[in-house]
């Protein structure tokens, strides 16, 4: 289907809308697979072309996949053609009447719309089940803290300040170890002669390690972002301009630390659970402002981990100070009611300001 469409496109002819059925005579294997899966392919390809003609810049013309890509197929639930046996852990798909033993991550209610079965490069199979349901979310918990500021760092993954405390979250040790092992496996793979049996074994080990790291990192990012969203009503992060950073030397560590994924998770979880997620303007100098007196330290260099405010004499941990400044932006949000804000200002644990003077910070606007 893709080939016919591509040919017509090249010749500037009207693009045909082929159906899978017309190929069944020539390609007998099409009769072996379930027909809803073929319909899904047809829908995907029509969507891809429609998107392309709507927005050519954003949606490139669809291309052929290579065998190296992740292998997957989608099929629809028509007349109960897809079922899940929660008790015994079986997934029933069209043409697979005996069912497939699955490891079920969670139960769900609602109507199954479709299933996508994919095979990863390390040879594992996954089934993602799309379900229509009335109550999709987990229980929303009452936030303990009104606001929090999240500073993203290289040494520590994040530094967080909320109503009660400032704390740092390290990069997980198991991820660092897994990355060391990945480098060893990469070396071992590149030493093996291409196309040999040992090379294939090494490739599989490498792919498994890649998959492990990506799963472990996602797990870490999901748990951390969920904890922060549960804890706070307003979450403020800096606009790190990830794409800009990626072009620089920092690229590898930034990509590895998963900042942009982390921000994406925070953002949609905030939406799910009715919290406010704010990325401050990229020109807001969260690191350079003294959170105590509002003085802006223009001389602060990237490698300065601590600094002393020349105006009020306070010594700052760079990351903690930045997260406090972001926290203060959060406190200023309308979601935090003035009465609550006054209560906040009355307490002064962990050196947070009683009444922040926000001469400079106050003029910076936060994007909401
Ligand atoms: Zn100061």
């Amino acid at each position: 289907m893709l080939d016919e469409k591509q040919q017509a496109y090249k010749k500037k002819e009207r693009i045909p809308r082929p159906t899978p059925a017309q190929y069944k005579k020539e390609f007998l294997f099409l009769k072996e697979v379930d027909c809803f899966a073929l319909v899904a392919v047809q829908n995907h390809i029509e969507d891809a072309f429609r998107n392309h003609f709507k927005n050519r810049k954003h949606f490139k013309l669809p291309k052929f996949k290579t065998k190296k890509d992740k292998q997957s197929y989608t099929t629809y639930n028509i007349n109960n053609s897809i079922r899940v046996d929660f008790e015994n852990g079986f997934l029933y798909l069209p043409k697979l009447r005996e069912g497939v033993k699955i490891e079920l991550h969670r139960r769900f209610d609602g109507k199954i719309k479709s299933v996508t079965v994919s095979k990863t490069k390390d040879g594992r199979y996954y089934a993602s089940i799309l379900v229509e349901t009335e109550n999709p979310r987990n229980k929303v918990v009452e936030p303990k803290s009104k606001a929090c500021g999240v500073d993203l760092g290289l040494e520590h993954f994040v530094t967080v300040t909320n109503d009660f405390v400032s704390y740092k979250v390290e990069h997980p040790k198991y991820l660092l170890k897994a990355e060391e092992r990945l480098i060893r496996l990469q070396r071992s793979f590149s030493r093996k002669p291409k196309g040999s049996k040992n090379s294939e074994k090494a490739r599989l080990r490498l792919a498994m390690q890649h998959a492990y790291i990506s799963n472990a990192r996602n797990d870490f990012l999901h748990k951390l972002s969920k904890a922060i969203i549960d804890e706070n009503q307003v979450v403020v992060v800096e606009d790190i301009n990830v794409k800009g950073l990626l072009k620089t030397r920092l690229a590898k560590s930034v990509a590895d630390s998963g900042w942009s994924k982390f921000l994406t998770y925070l953002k949609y979880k905030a939406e799910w659970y009715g919290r406010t997620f704010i990325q401050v303007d990229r020109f807001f100098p969260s690191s350079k402002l003294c959170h105590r007196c509002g003085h802006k330290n223009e001389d602060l260099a990237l490698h300065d981990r601590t600094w002393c405010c020349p105006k009020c004499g306070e010594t700052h941990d760079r990351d903690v100070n930045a997260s406090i400044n972001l926290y203060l932006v959060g406190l200023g949000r309308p979601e935090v009611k003035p009465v609550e804000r006054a209560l906040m200002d009355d307490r002064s644990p962990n050196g947070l300001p009683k009444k922040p003077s926000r001469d400079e910070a106050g003029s910076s606007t936060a994007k909401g």
Side-chain angles (χ1 to χ4, degrees):
M1 288 190 283
L2 180 55
D3 185 50
E4 284 195 23
K5 279 174 176 285
Q6 280 179 342
Q7 297 296 343
Y9 186 85
K10 261 185 220 154
K11 290 182 210 149
K12 300 213 164 79
E13 288 166 4
R14 217 182 124 262
I15 293 177
R17 311 186 94 196
T19 61
Q22 69 196 68
Y23 304 103
K24 280 191 179 174
K25 254 189 192 156
E26 192 181 346
F27 303 102
L28 288 172
F29 63 87
L30 289 177
K31 290 185 183 170
E32 290 170 24
V33 299
D34 91 71
C35 60
F36 306 128
L38 296 177
V39 173
V41 173
Q42 185 188 2
N43 288 347
H44 289 166
I45 200 168
E46 294 297 341
D47 285 348
F49 272 87
R50 200 174 308 122
N51 286 336
H52 173 70
F53 290 123
K54 257 191 219 157
N55 185 346
R56 283 167 202 252
K57 257 191 195 157
H58 192 73
F59 298 101
K60 300 280 178 257
L61 262 189
K63 285 186 291 196
F64 277 99
K65 290 180 182 175
T66 73
K67 269 203 164 166
K68 278 187 204 153
D69 285 335
K70 189 161 102 171
Q71 306 283 308
S72 76
Y73 87 100
T74 298
T75 184
Y76 299 122
N77 185 21
I78 312 284
N79 293 333
N80 260 350
S81 58
I82 300 171
R83 279 172 297 120
V84 176
D85 178 349
F86 288 112
E87 298 310 316
N88 303 306
F90 274 92
L91 171 66
Y92 296 90
L93 293 166
K95 297 238 171 182
L96 291 170
R97 257 181 232 150
E98 277 158 38
V100 190
K101 184 96 183 119
I102 52 169
E103 195 158 309
L104 201 68
H105 293 100
R106 71 171 89 145
R107 283 168 177 263
F108 53 81
D109 302 318
K111 203 177 153 219
I112 296 175
K113 307 295 283 182
S114 67
V115 171
T116 298
V117 177
S118 53
K119 183 187 177 189
T120 58
K121 283 185 192 171
D122 61 333
R124 277 186 264 203
Y125 289 89
Y126 290 86
S128 324
I129 304 175
L130 178 68
V131 180
E132 201 173 64
T133 168
E134 298 263 302
N135 43 350
R137 304 279 172 260
N138 300 340
K139 221 175 84 211
V140 177
V141 292
E142 203 47 39
K144 290 193 196 88
S145 165
K146 296 297 160 208
C148 86
V150 182
D151 177 73
L152 304 155
L154 290 172
E155 264 176 61
H156 302 271
F157 182 68
V158 287
T159 306
V160 181
T161 293
N162 60 26
D163 290 357
F164 313 104
V165 70
S166 296
Y167 60 90
K168 296 188 173 193
V169 179
E170 308 253 1
H171 293 273
K173 285 243 164 54
Y174 56 84
L175 269 184
L176 300 178
K177 274 204 184 124
E179 267 154 25
E180 278 165 22
R181 185 170 140 80
L182 183 76
I183 293 168
R184 281 204 304 280
L185 290 173
Q186 245 150 8
R187 257 186 237 132
S188 144
F189 172 61
S190 58
R191 273 198 302 264
K192 306 269 186 306
K194 283 255 149 62
S196 67
K197 251 193 181 166
N198 281 332
S199 156
E200 180 54 24
K201 270 189 214 156
R203 190 199 63 80
L204 193 66
R205 270 200 295 272
L206 189 59
M208 281 173 84
Q209 188 66 6
H210 268 296
Y212 169 78
I213 288 178
S214 133
N215 287 342
R217 180 175 291 121
N218 270 336
D219 182 61
F220 164 68
L221 295 176
H222 273 301
K223 281 176 182 157
L224 181 61
S225 55
K226 176 72 162 58
I228 289 175
I229 290 297
D230 276 350
E231 217 169 65
N232 303 283
Q233 181 54 50
V234 180
V235 177
V236 185
V237 298
E238 57 199 316
D239 183 351
I240 45 164
N241 189 12
V242 176
K243 277 186 185 155
L245 279 174
L246 283 175
K247 283 179 201 139
T248 68
R249 275 185 303 136
L250 285 173
K252 182 151 170 43
S253 53
V254 173
D256 284 355
S257 60
W259 283 347
S260 73
K261 239 185 198 172
F262 180 63
L263 295 188
T264 312
Y265 292 172
L266 276 178
K267 199 173 177 179
Y268 79 71
K269 287 187 164 87
E271 220 164 272
W272 281 6
Y273 296 100
R275 310 293 209 245
T276 309
F277 171 84
I278 301 161
Q279 253 185 308
V280 296
D281 193 276
R282 52 183 285 219
F283 298 110
F284 176 67
S286 56
S287 300
K288 289 180 179 169
L289 284 180
C290 166
H291 77 257
R292 202 162 175 215
C293 72
H295 174 74
K296 189 172 167 189
N297 182 0
E298 294 287 3
D299 302 329
L300 189 71
L302 199 63
H303 58 264
D304 292 336
R305 304 316 306 166
T306 57
W307 57 282
C308 187
C309 173
K311 208 170 155 195
C312 73
E314 177 92 356
T315 305
H316 295 302
D317 174 295
R318 179 200 184 92
D319 303 331
V320 171
N321 179 60
S323 73
I324 292 175
N325 279 321
L326 294 165
Y327 166 73
L328 292 172
V329 171
L331 267 196
R333 291 283 303 186
E335 288 85 348
V336 181
K337 296 176 195 88
V339 182
E340 292 167 343
R341 214 172 296 148
L343 287 175
M344 293 289 121
D345 288 349
D346 275 346
R347 114 246 101 109
S348 60
N350 57 51
L352 287 180
K354 273 206 150 191
K355 281 246 163 18
S357 128
R358 314 296 312 152
D359 314 338
E360 280 163 271
S363 61
S364 280
T365 43
K367 279 181 210 160

